[in-house]
Amino acid sequence: MKCEAVEVSSFFDRRFDAAISIGLMFLLNEQSQRQLISRVSAAVSPGGAFLFTAPKQAVSWTDVLTGQRSQSLGSEAYEALLKNGGFDL
């Protein structure tokens, strides 16, 4: 078992049929979110799926559990990033 930051995780050196990110994406800053979507798109096999949670609207807030600044890029930005990464929506 490994505990690594998603920005540098060696998990992305492998191929997967799908990826799931629940309660994580919005804890990353905008650049890290964009980088993560790009890394996931490269690691997920063609036709694979990526499921993640984030508010639909572009918004920032302080996360209650971590006290960290959280940010949703909004559905339009996420859709563009996913399409650019080769995901079908």
Side-chain angles (χ1 to χ4, degrees):
M1 179 183 293
K2 290 184 179 183
C3 181
E4 301 173 319
V6 298
E7 295 92 340
V8 296
S9 177
S10 61
F11 244 59
F12 294 101
D13 296 339
R14 301 170 56 189
R15 293 295 273 177
F16 299 93
D17 293 329
I20 299 172
S21 174
I22 304 297
L24 167 69
M25 182 77 74
F26 52 79
L27 293 172
L28 303 172
N29 64 41
E30 180 176 353
Q31 179 181 350
S32 293
Q33 288 187 48
R34 291 176 179 277
Q35 179 185 22
L36 176 60
I37 291 172
S38 177
R39 294 191 80 199
V40 168
S41 69
V44 171
S45 299
F50 180 34
L51 172 69
F52 66 92
T53 58
K56 287 180 77 171
Q57 62 275 55
V59 64
S60 296
W61 71 98
T62 300
D63 183 68
V64 177
L65 295 175
T66 66
Q68 293 182 8
R69 181 178 177 273
S70 298
Q71 176 179 3
S72 170
L73 306 182
S75 60
E76 290 181 13
Y78 289 127
E79 287 175 17
L81 290 166
L82 294 166
K83 285 181 183 178
N84 189 46
F87 288 105
D88 293 325
L89 303 179

